[in-house]
């Protein structure tokens, strides 16, 4: 099963709440772009492209007034870790204890109970369980409390000008102008330094493609509207291929001495290969049962699943369905996807 390249989304999702002033500072950033182009000159090119793609002059003017590059954004972006090494992975269990803790579980249960009717209606329409939607909401923004406060126009313009991933961030800046053209103010359009915003931490291009009006008021407000937030997350998951009625995964009992490495996948994922190389071959539940691996919750015998034992022999193991891969599309990290799935289970258990 192949997954779409949503690296831009993953980049922004994990970075909400890192904090900065909302409006531009009066001083020019000291960092320089890879090709030496002046910031103001580059912005004229971006403005021209925005005009050509239908953005109004009024929106361009208010979203670029006083714009200067942001040194801190460049430092944060350049400080992101590179490709993983072959020295192994940190254990999953400590990460889960930190991210699926009693406070987050209690917060998710409160949101789930308080919005039960809305979540049932969205699940009926999109096929995505309410607890998965709430778990994403909790992981991304602590149930709407931490969404980031970087001026998105400034951050995305800075990253586009800096030039290392110019096409990516220039496209997101243009998409942000189109979001702003829908009537959102510059003060509303704040978020992570890499451009993700709102309760689901969507990048502007994802907002344009998948943000959804969940309450019929004619606007997809993912900043403060729960119906729009939940429907937008559900729409993202449906678009990514979520299969209704199938869990993301179940705990599995693995017999002593079982050689998990004998069933390692030989497929190389085109996106985030280090994430997928940790999963086994895909086999049916019946095939895993014949090998001695027993699911601890019911799964139909013909369900294709992958065995995942992240912390090694003798430690917890799971049989993952195709829906786990859908969670990975939101953020391509086994730590993230496992914590979302486990939090969702705790919310309804």
């Amino acid at each position: 099963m192949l997954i779409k390249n949503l690296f831009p989304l993953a980049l922004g999702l994990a970075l909400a709440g890192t904090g900065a002033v909302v409006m531009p500072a009066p001083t020019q950033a000291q960092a320089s772009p890879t090709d030496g182009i002046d910031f103001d000159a580059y912005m004229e090119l971006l403005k021209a492209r925005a005009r050509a793609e239908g953005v109004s002059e009024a929106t361009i003017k208010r979203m670029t007034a006083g714009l200067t590059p942001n040194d801190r954004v460049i430092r944060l972006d350049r400080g992101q870790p590179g490709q993983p090494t072959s020295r192994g992975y940190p254990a999953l269990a400590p990460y889960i204890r930190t991210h699926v803790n009693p406070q987050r579980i209690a917060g998710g249960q409160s949101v789930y109970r308080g919005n039960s009717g809305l979540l049932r209606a969205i699940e009926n329409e999109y096929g995505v369980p309410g607890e998965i939607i709430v778990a994403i909401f909790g992981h991304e923004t602590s149930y709407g409390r931490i969404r980031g406060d970087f001026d998105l126009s400034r951050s995305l313009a800075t990253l586009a000008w800096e030039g290392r991933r110019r096409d990516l961030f220039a496209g997101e800046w243009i998409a942000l102008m189109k979001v702003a053209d829908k009537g959102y103010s510059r003060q509303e359009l704040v978020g992570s330094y890499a451009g993700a915003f709102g309760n689901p931490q969507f990048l502007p291009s994802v907002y344009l493609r998948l943000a959804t009006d969940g309450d019929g008021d004619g606007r997809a407000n993912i900043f403060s509207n729960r119906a729009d937030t939940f429907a937008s997350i559900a729409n993202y998951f449906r678009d990514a291929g979520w299969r209704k009625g199938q869990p993301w995964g179940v705990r599995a009992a693995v017999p002593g001495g079982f050689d998990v490495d004998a069933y390692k996948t030989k497929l190389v994922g085109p996106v985030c290969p280090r994430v997928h190389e940790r999963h086994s071959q895909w086999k049916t539940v019946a095939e895993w049962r014949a090998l001695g691996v027993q699911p601890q919750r019911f799964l139909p015998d013909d369900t294709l699943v992958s065995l995942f034992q992240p912390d090694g022999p003798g430690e917890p193991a799971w049989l993952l369905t195709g829906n786990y891969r859908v969670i990975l599309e939101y953020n391509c990290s086994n730590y993230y996807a496992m914590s979302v799935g486990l939090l969702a289970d705790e919310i309804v258990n």
Side-chain angles (χ1 to χ4, degrees):
M1 177 180 178
L2 299 179
I3 67 169
K4 292 174 284 189
N5 185 355
L6 291 177
F7 165 73
L9 178 63
L11 176 67
L13 289 173
L15 299 166
T18 48
V21 293
V22 173
M23 289 294 106
T27 57
Q28 186 85 351
Q30 298 302 307
S32 59
T34 56
D35 58 5
I37 188 172
D38 177 76
F39 181 78
D40 291 338
Y42 179 69
M43 284 308 303
E44 291 305 315
L45 296 176
L46 275 185
K47 291 177 187 178
R49 177 176 165 186
R51 292 185 192 100
E53 295 193 25
V55 178
S56 71
E57 196 64 39
T59 292
I60 293 171
K61 184 176 181 178
R62 66 183 171 83
M63 293 298 291
T64 60
L67 206 63
T68 60
N70 188 332
D71 249 341
R72 185 168 182 234
V73 166
I74 294 174
R75 289 196 304 271
L76 287 168
D77 187 59
R78 290 180 178 175
Q80 289 303 297
Q83 291 298 316
T85 70
S86 59
R87 290 177 295 179
Y89 301 88
L92 176 70
Y95 184 92
I96 296 302
R97 284 195 296 270
T98 300
H99 290 79
V100 189
N101 56 34
Q103 294 77 20
R104 186 165 281 178
I105 292 168
Q109 289 172 338
S110 176
V111 171
Y112 186 81
R113 288 193 301 267
N115 297 273
S116 58
L118 171 62
L119 289 166
R120 278 196 301 271
I122 289 174
E123 181 172 353
N124 288 337
E125 181 173 355
Y126 293 92
V128 181
E131 62 268 25
I132 289 287
I133 295 169
V134 173
I136 291 288
F137 183 34
H139 273 283
E140 290 307 319
T141 57
S142 191
Y143 307 111
R145 289 190 293 273
I146 304 172
R147 293 193 291 260
D149 57 3
F150 283 85
D151 173 11
L152 296 180
S153 180
R154 188 184 185 201
S155 293
L156 289 169
T158 296
L159 292 170
W161 167 72
E162 189 263 354
R164 290 182 305 130
R165 285 169 291 166
R166 176 163 291 169
D167 288 346
L168 164 63
F169 289 114
E172 292 300 337
W173 189 86
I174 298 296
L176 179 70
M177 297 303 103
K178 295 176 181 178
V179 175
D181 228 9
K182 295 178 180 294
Y184 292 105
S185 72
R186 189 163 169 185
Q187 285 71 26
E188 288 177 290
L189 292 173
V190 297
S192 81
Y193 84 79
F197 65 92
N199 289 324
Q201 289 293 278
F202 280 178
L203 283 179
S205 62
V206 177
Y207 177 92
L208 293 175
R209 189 166 64 89
L210 296 172
T212 302
D213 174 13
D215 60 3
D217 67 355
R219 198 180 201 204
N221 174 8
I222 62 172
F223 301 95
S224 58
N225 186 304
R226 289 281 177 91
D228 294 356
T229 294
F230 296 160
S232 296
I233 294 171
N235 194 35
Y236 185 102
F237 271 64
R238 183 174 66 178
D239 180 77
W242 185 272
R243 297 179 182 181
K244 184 178 181 178
Q246 187 177 89
W248 64 271
V250 301
R251 279 290 296 271
V254 179
F258 186 83
D259 185 7
V260 175
D261 287 343
Y263 301 96
K264 289 183 67 172
T265 183
K266 297 180 181 179
L267 299 175
V268 178
V271 182
C272 305
R274 294 277 295 184
V275 170
H276 301 295
E277 74 179 12
R278 301 181 69 189
H279 303 166
S280 78
Q281 300 167 16
W282 290 87
K283 294 181 179 295
T284 65
V285 170
E287 289 172 323
W288 284 117
R289 285 186 188 277
L291 294 169
V293 177
Q294 302 295 327
Q296 300 300 285
R297 284 171 48 199
F298 173 75
L299 279 175
D301 281 348
D302 61 353
T303 306
L304 279 171
V305 287
S306 175
L307 178 63
F308 184 44
Q309 196 170 25
D311 293 345
E315 298 297 329
W318 288 265
L319 290 171
L320 307 174
T321 73
N323 281 344
Y324 180 83
R325 292 290 186 98
V326 173
I327 301 174
L328 286 174
E329 289 227 12
Y330 210 94
N331 188 325
C332 198
S333 160
N334 281 310
Y335 300 92
Y336 179 90
M338 287 297 299
S339 61
V340 165
L342 292 170
L343 177 60
D345 289 350
E346 291 293 339
I347 286 171
V348 292
N349 287 338

